Structures are given as C-alpha cells and as structure tokens.
Amino acid sequence: KYVFCTDSLFADSVGYPVWMENCTDITKSDLNFTDLYTNLPCTTQVNNIYVTGKVARRWTVSDDAGNVGTCQQTIWLKRATIADVVFPGDHDGFDLPALMCGEDPKNLKLTGQPTVDGYPLVTLGSCDFTVTYTDDVYPGCISGAYTTIRTWKLIDYCQDTTVYHAQVISL
C-alpha cells in the first residue's frame, strides 16, 4: 500500500487483514499490530514511485482455542514534492473571512497550515521537509485592528529547495 508521507497510518485508513476462522468470530478489535518504521534515502524508488519510508506492520490474532495467526502488511510512504504542498488561504475578508475579535491568529487550527493530501506537514517528519513561519504584525485602520503577514518557509531536503509563501491574516 502507498500513502503520502503525511497520511494517517491508522488501520481504518490503510486497511485491515482478512482472517478466515472456522470456530471463532474474529472482529477488528481482536487484531493487534506492531510497526517497524524504516527511514529511506531520498532517491529510493519502489515500482517507480519515490518513497521516504517503509512501515512493516505485523498483524497478530488469536482465536478462542489459543491458535495464533500472523501476517505482514507493507506500507510505503510516498515522497511528497513542493508541488504537492497546499498553503493555507488568506484570512483577509476576500479569500477567507477575516478573524473575529478574540480569535487568536497564532492558532493554526483556525488560520491553517501547509498540508499534503489534506494532512498537515510535520517538520522533520517522514516527508523530509521543514516547515516554519514568521509573523509580521501591522496596525490596521480601525482602532484595535491589525494585520499579520505570516511568511511560511518550506525546505525540501531531498531537492535542496526552499519556497516562501505569504499568508495575510486580518483581525
């Protein structure tokens, strides 16, 4: 199975094994797994797909008679590129609504953050990216109002590339 380096590795997302049992009803809650993560070099390809990591998931289940079954699932973490990154929109009253009084522009759940495949990028995670930001705050025309210019910096270590993106957050 191939998933982006940011995607969820929960079993509901990547799948469960299918077990055949004659005497015991096996449910998802009967299944257990352990993961072994391997970080891979930037140039690693599997079936012509660039990957940054491999998760070897070992599934185990036992029935009422004490019989134990195991199987292994391999999950490949696809390498994202800068082109796969979606930066958050502007909260300027045009692209997205401006923040309301009392809303914190430092709350990334509110203002957004860079994502790949809908999942937030994690600095130095399995994507081989670093994501940081700096905020410059400017007073607005109305008393108490201000605008934050958030400059996102994204470094792709595999491509030795840096990209900047400005996000406007008005309050």
Side-chain angles (χ1 to χ4, degrees), residues 26-84:
I26 302 292
T27 65
K28 290 178 185 177
S29 63
D30 296 318
L31 301 168
N32 297 299
F33 66 85
T34 57
D35 286 344
L36 176 62
Y37 174 76
T38 305
N39 191 37
L40 301 171
C42 293
T43 57
T44 304
Q45 290 187 50
V46 176
N47 296 325
N48 294 319
I49 297 172
Y50 283 98
V51 293
T52 63
K54 172 186 172 184
V55 177
R57 179 165 287 175
R58 182 176 174 85
W59 289 93
T60 305
V61 66
S62 60
D63 65 14
D64 291 341
N67 299 310
V68 177
T70 62
C71 69
Q72 181 156 318
Q73 176 184 26
T74 302
I75 305 165
W76 297 101
L77 304 179
K78 294 189 296 185
R79 193 176 108 56
T81 65
I82 287 177
D84 297 314

Side-chain angles (χ1 to χ4, degrees), residues 4-142:
F4 266 115
C5 51
T6 56
D7 285 354
S8 169
L9 295 178
F10 288 119
D12 285 340
S13 299
V14 295
Y16 291 88
V18 176
W19 295 93
M20 304 302 270
E21 170 56 35
N22 294 334
C23 300
T24 305
D25 287 331
I26 302 292
T27 65
K28 290 178 185 177
S29 63
D30 296 318
L31 301 168
N32 297 299
F33 66 85
T34 57
D35 286 344
L36 176 62
Y37 174 76
T38 305
N39 191 37
L40 301 171
C42 293
T43 57
T44 304
Q45 290 187 50
V46 176
N47 296 325
N48 294 319
I49 297 172
Y50 283 98
V51 293
T52 63
K54 172 186 172 184
V55 177
R57 179 165 287 175
R58 182 176 174 85
W59 289 93
T60 305
V61 66
S62 60
D63 65 14
D64 291 341
N67 299 310
V68 177
T70 62
C71 69
Q72 181 156 318
Q73 176 184 26
T74 302
I75 305 165
W76 297 101
L77 304 179
K78 294 189 296 185
R79 193 176 108 56
T81 65
I82 287 177
D84 297 314
V85 176
V86 175
F87 286 95
D90 295 333
H91 287 270
D92 58 0
F94 299 103
D95 187 23
L96 295 168
L99 299 186
M100 302 295 284
C101 186
E103 291 182 316
D104 184 3
K106 293 182 182 185
N107 180 348
L108 298 182
K109 290 183 181 189
L110 180 64
T111 59
Q113 65 190 93
T115 61
V116 172
D117 202 30
Y119 292 95
L121 282 176
V122 178
T123 294
L124 296 179
S126 56
C127 287
D128 297 322
F129 287 140
T130 293
V131 180
T132 60
Y133 69 86
T134 57
D135 285 345
D136 293 311
V137 180
Y138 302 95
C141 297
I142 301 171

